[in-house]
Amino acid sequence: MSDATNPETPENPADDPSTPAEPTAPSAPSAPEQQLTGRQQLTGRQRLAAGLWPPRVSRAQLIVALLLFVLGLGLAIQVRSTSDNSALRGARQEDLVRILDELDDRTQRLEDEAARLETQRSELESSSDQAEEARKQTQEKEQQLGILAGTVAAEGPGITLTIRGAAAAVESDMLLDAIQELRAAGAEAIQVNDVRVVADSYFSGSGTDIEIDGTKVAAPYVFKVIGKPEDLEPALNIPGGVVQTLEKEQATATVARSQKIVVDALRPAKRPDYAQSSSQ
């Protein structure tokens, strides 16, 4: 009897070389290989953009950026305010140099005053007769205060400012502006027409009714000013100053220097009603 099983037929069909092999699916690439492949496909510009965005900002960097922004904004506002409000931004170089010289002169005057006071203190400390030295300095101080208060006459170098114009051209506030400019330039004694101008003087009225401390004054207005002429005259001629303002109002202002100006209009000594000396 014949065996139904063919001895030459292999038990496992896969072992049969005549049987065609099934195709094997390629294995999927791992995650690092996928990232490497993706980066290789990006251009240099795309890689740069990917590195810059989204930004990686720390809290400290945000604080520094905010502080720099606030600082820059403050500087911009300050620069703009200075450029907009500066009255000298359109001044010529010669005018700026003159104003700078005037400021230097003011500083020098203050330094000289400080040196003078220091000398007086040294004299009091070293003088053999301190009582006599103190009396002498007291008299000198009384004279100085009398000049400032307008109770004594004064003379010295200075200028004469003469303002002419129609009645409607010159107002009391223009005369007051001239007084303030002169005081800022170091004027020590001022007289307008026949009125002594002191610290508490006031100007009122307009046109033909201008008054100084209740006393009527009329054009031409003659200012006799004692001080350093080299400081007083430039202070009136600065850009936008007293002289230019009067010229815009169809008035004229002339300044003449002199080595001897006499201010002889006096004011009565006035005793304060409430103020008392605090040195007891």
Side-chain angles (χ1 to χ4, degrees):
M1 187 174 80
S2 63
D3 190 357
T5 304
N6 188 2
E8 298 178 357
T9 301
E11 293 181 359
N12 189 359
D15 296 335
D16 189 359
S18 61
T19 303
E22 295 180 359
T24 303
S27 60
S30 61
E33 294 177 348
Q34 292 179 355
Q35 294 179 357
L36 181 60
T37 304
R39 290 180 180 177
Q40 292 176 349
Q41 294 177 356
L42 295 177
T43 63
R45 183 176 299 179
Q46 290 174 339
R47 289 198 301 271
L48 178 61
L52 295 177
W53 189 264
R56 298 173 179 85
V57 182
S58 64
R59 182 178 181 182
Q61 291 173 332
L62 286 176
I63 295 175
V64 172
L66 180 60
L67 292 176
L68 290 176
F69 172 76
V70 173
L71 178 60
L73 181 62
L75 290 175
I77 294 175
Q78 182 178 3
V79 170
R80 182 176 180 181
S81 176
T82 302
S83 61
D84 291 342
N85 299 330
S86 178
L88 302 177
R89 61 180 181 274
R92 297 175 302 174
Q93 183 177 0
E94 295 81 359
D95 297 329
L96 295 176
V97 172
R98 184 192 309 163
I99 294 172
L100 181 60
D101 292 339
E102 180 183 346
L103 293 176
D104 292 339
D105 292 337
R106 292 182 188 178
T107 303
Q108 185 63 43
R109 288 198 302 271
L110 292 176
E111 292 177 352
D112 293 342
E113 178 67 15
R116 186 181 63 82
L117 294 175
E118 182 66 24
T119 302
Q120 289 181 356
R121 185 175 68 88
S122 299
E123 290 176 353
L124 285 174
E125 292 176 351
S126 60
S127 176
S128 58
D129 190 353
Q130 295 186 0
E132 179 63 23
E133 184 66 26
R135 186 186 63 82
K136 179 181 177 182
Q137 292 189 10
T138 301
Q139 290 178 347
E140 293 178 354
K141 193 66 175 178
E142 182 181 2
Q143 290 292 326
Q144 295 173 3
L145 294 177
I147 293 175
L148 296 177
T151 58
V152 298
E155 67 176 35
I159 64 170
T160 299
L161 168 65
T162 305
I163 299 177
R164 295 182 174 87
V170 182
E171 298 290 344
S172 58
D173 58 339
M174 299 178 184
L175 301 181
L176 180 59
D177 289 341
I179 294 294
Q180 292 175 340
E181 290 290 348
L182 292 169
R183 283 175 175 168
E188 297 176 353
I190 304 175
Q191 175 179 329
V192 180
N193 290 3
D194 295 327
V195 181
R196 186 71 169 267
V197 178
V198 293
D200 59 350
S201 294
Y202 63 91
F203 291 70
S204 61
S206 61
T208 59
D209 298 324
I210 295 179
E211 295 182 354
I212 302 177
D213 297 334
T215 301
K216 187 175 180 179
V217 293
Y221 306 100
V222 180
F223 291 64
K224 296 180 180 180
V225 187
I226 296 178
K228 188 177 181 180
E230 292 79 6
D231 295 339
L232 299 175
E233 183 179 4
L236 299 174
N237 290 297
I238 62 174
V242 174
V243 174
Q244 287 190 3
T245 301
L246 290 170
E247 290 176 350
K248 291 180 181 178
E249 299 297 333
Q250 305 303 317
T252 59
T254 57
V255 181
R257 299 186 184 185
S258 177
Q259 290 302 315
K260 184 178 180 181
I261 298 292
V262 178
V263 175
D264 52 6
L266 303 180
R267 295 173 60 94
K270 184 177 180 182
R271 185 181 182 87
D273 296 328
Y274 304 100
Q276 298 179 358
S277 176
S278 60
S279 59
Q280 300 294 339

